[in-house]
Amino acid sequence: MAGYNTTIREKAEDYFDYMVQTRRYLHKNPEVSFKEYDTTEYIIHELKKLNIDVEQPLETGCIGIIEGKPSDKVIALRADIDALAMDEEGDAKKEFFSERPGAAHCCGHDAHMANLLGVARILTDMQQEIEGKVLLIFQPGEEKLPGGGRLLTESGFLQKQGVKEIYGLHMSPAIEPGKIAVKSGSFMARPDEFEIEIIGKGGHAASPHQTVDPVVLAAEAITKFQTIVSRSLDPTEPAVVTVGRVRAGSTYNVIPGSAELIGTVRTFSKDTADLIKQRMEQILKGIAEGAGAAYSFQFNEGYPAVVNDENCTDKLVAAAANVIGEANIIRMERPLMAGEDFAFYQQVFPGAFFFLGSGSDEADSKWSWHHPRYNIDEKAFLTGASIMAGLVLDR
Ligand SMILES: [Zn+2]
Ligand SMILES: [Zn+2]
């Protein structure tokens, strides 16, 4: 085993420049969710250079298949490939800025692809050591519902390939390169969304008694929603109800006819999400009926929660310890309230997801995910590619 790891690390160093150049190329050429046509073509080209078989169960994205020694072991490694519909900023990445206005890799998926392509090189070099089969998943549309992870699991392709375990990573600006963060059990939240319209009766601002003021009712609803987590949930159950946008009215002296609220609910189980949904509706109904107003309420289910399998987490920790040592593995005590569509795979296969440190002052890469200045410290590739290759080879 020790021998393997030296080789894996050396190979990650050998392919470091390749991963950096690949990431920068992909960064320059971002494509938004489910429109990753050129990106897919590029990945297929890179995999074919290594004589890796490629399948395309969805319109964009692809899966590389590496066959090792005969065995029923099938391990899947997943990278997401979509960019965000935004423009970017920041001197640190100026030389490889997006050349496609309105699209930018500000969530690090460019790096996830480059990392997995580096893993593909390491694994094909060591193909005779692999037991069973490895699937390299380049998944489209992580950022957009219904989620590429959902479409891929629903396609049945991975089930037919006999996947036994799946692993994925996300670059983390909050952790320095050379470290990772991991946790067994609840890891990332279930993000649902809601849309509400409160329909009152508009009129002159000076004659409120002749109107049903939806602004006052919306204010009441926003405040009461904040009592759901504090009064209706078990205090040890983490949850968030956030109203992210409030829209009503047009000017100083008119009471508008309606008000609109949209926002997100973050939980770690469908039961908790269902309870919050039910309480929101009860609150709205009470407020609207009490005032003679009407309402509409739509609750859109997002991704499930990312819940890491204990056994897979142990294997991940063991693979990481071989690369960076126990001291550089951050054992998270609490999960994150952000969501990830990696959760869909974990509904079907045991798996583990982890954060790979990519934040440093040198690379100006401590900006949060989705910030226009978001960037990664490319040294993360040395750790990321070694751990992922180790997950396949350290068995
Ligand atoms: Zn993102
Ligand atoms: Zn992301």
Side-chain angles (χ1 to χ4, degrees), residues 134-149:
V134 185
L135 267 57
L136 306 173
I137 302 176
F138 293 89
Q139 174 219 298
E142 192 284 324
E143 302 280 4
K144 193 176 175 188
L145 287 172

Side-chain angles (χ1 to χ4, degrees), residues 13-293:
E13 276 165 34
D14 289 347
Y15 294 131
F16 179 69
D17 285 342
Y18 166 75
M19 290 186 272
V20 168
Q21 295 317 316
T22 301
R23 180 253 170 167
R24 293 181 180 194
Y25 173 82
L26 291 164
H27 194 94
K28 269 191 198 175
N29 294 284
E31 292 171 295
V32 297
S33 310
F34 300 111
K35 305 267 186 251
E36 311 93 336
Y37 297 100
D38 295 346
T39 307
T40 302
E41 201 178 304
Y42 180 84
I43 296 166
I44 292 174
H45 180 74
E46 289 304 295
L47 293 173
K48 291 245 159 111
K49 270 199 236 168
L50 305 172
N51 289 317
I52 294 175
D53 289 333
V54 184
E55 299 278 351
Q56 278 188 276
L58 303 178
E59 195 175 325
T60 52
C62 63
I63 297 175
I65 302 170
I66 303 174
E67 296 273 1
K69 288 182 276 191
S71 160
D72 61 356
K73 285 178 188 164
V74 183
I75 180 168
L77 305 174
R78 175 270 207 171
D80 42 10
I81 70 171
D82 53 332
L84 291 155
M86 62 186 286
D87 288 315
E88 64 181 331
E89 296 166 10
D91 290 341
K93 48 179 176 167
K94 225 169 198 149
E95 47 177 298
F96 48 92
F97 256 2
S98 166
E99 290 174 353
R100 302 183 182 199
H105 272 295
C106 289
C107 199
H109 300 184
D110 51 341
H112 301 164
M113 289 183 267
N115 187 72
L116 196 55
L117 286 169
V119 173
R121 295 205 160 197
I122 299 172
L123 292 180
T124 44
D125 281 354
M126 301 176 76
Q127 197 158 352
Q128 68 285 359
E129 318 287 354
I130 298 173
E131 278 186 41
K133 195 161 58 173
V134 185
L135 267 57
L136 306 173
I137 302 176
F138 293 89
Q139 174 219 298
E142 192 284 324
E143 302 280 4
K144 193 176 175 188
L145 287 172
R150 176 177 194 158
L151 299 179
L152 200 50
T153 45
E154 285 178 357
S155 77
F157 180 86
L158 302 174
Q159 290 87 334
K160 266 188 217 138
Q161 291 287 326
V163 169
K164 300 282 189 310
E165 291 165 38
I166 184 161
Y167 297 89
L169 60 77
H170 206 296
M171 298 284 155
S172 171
I175 305 166
E176 60 190 275
K179 295 190 178 195
I180 68 158
V182 66
K183 181 184 175 300
S184 181
S186 293
F187 189 71
M188 292 176 86
R190 173 195 167 90
D192 297 316
E193 291 174 351
F194 59 83
E195 290 166 29
I196 292 165
E197 193 180 10
I198 296 173
I199 305 132
K201 185 172 166 244
H204 199 290
S207 309
H209 59 293
Q210 289 164 356
T211 73
V212 176
D213 188 347
V215 173
V216 173
L217 301 180
E220 203 180 334
I222 295 166
T223 310
K224 280 220 170 115
F225 288 161
Q226 298 313 310
T227 66
I228 299 174
V229 173
S230 68
R231 299 293 90 176
S232 300
L233 296 191
D234 182 321
T236 62
E237 179 74 25
V240 174
V241 178
T242 291
V243 176
R245 192 178 78 196
V246 183
R247 271 192 188 159
S250 55
T251 189
Y252 300 98
N253 52 3
V254 175
I255 290 173
S258 67
E260 181 198 79
L261 310 174
I262 67 169
T264 183
V265 170
R266 303 290 165 111
T267 57
F268 287 93
S269 75
K270 179 153 168 54
D271 287 350
T272 308
D274 285 346
L275 176 65
I276 291 175
K277 176 187 171 187
Q278 189 197 349
R279 289 290 298 130
M280 287 180 81
E281 174 119 46
Q282 284 167 341
I283 288 168
L284 275 173
K285 191 166 188 270
I287 290 172
E289 276 179 1

Side-chain angles (χ1 to χ4, degrees), residues 281-358:
E281 174 119 46
Q282 284 167 341
I283 288 168
L284 275 173
K285 191 166 188 270
I287 290 172
E289 276 179 1
Y295 71 92
S296 68
F297 176 57
Q298 207 181 314
F299 193 89
N300 305 318
E301 287 194 17
Y303 304 156
V306 173
V307 180
N308 283 340
D309 176 78
E310 198 177 334
N311 186 27
C312 291
T313 307
D314 288 346
K315 286 182 185 169
L316 170 64
V317 167
N322 283 335
V323 177
I324 51 176
E326 286 278 353
N328 289 309
I329 303 172
I330 300 165
R331 307 299 294 254
M332 290 157 61
E333 281 180 29
R334 295 167 206 273
L336 242 73
M337 298 313 284
E340 236 294 338
D341 89 337
F342 187 78
F344 286 110
Y345 302 105
Q346 293 173 312
Q347 305 266 302
V348 186
F349 313 107
F353 195 69
F354 67 103
F355 292 124
L356 179 68
S358 64

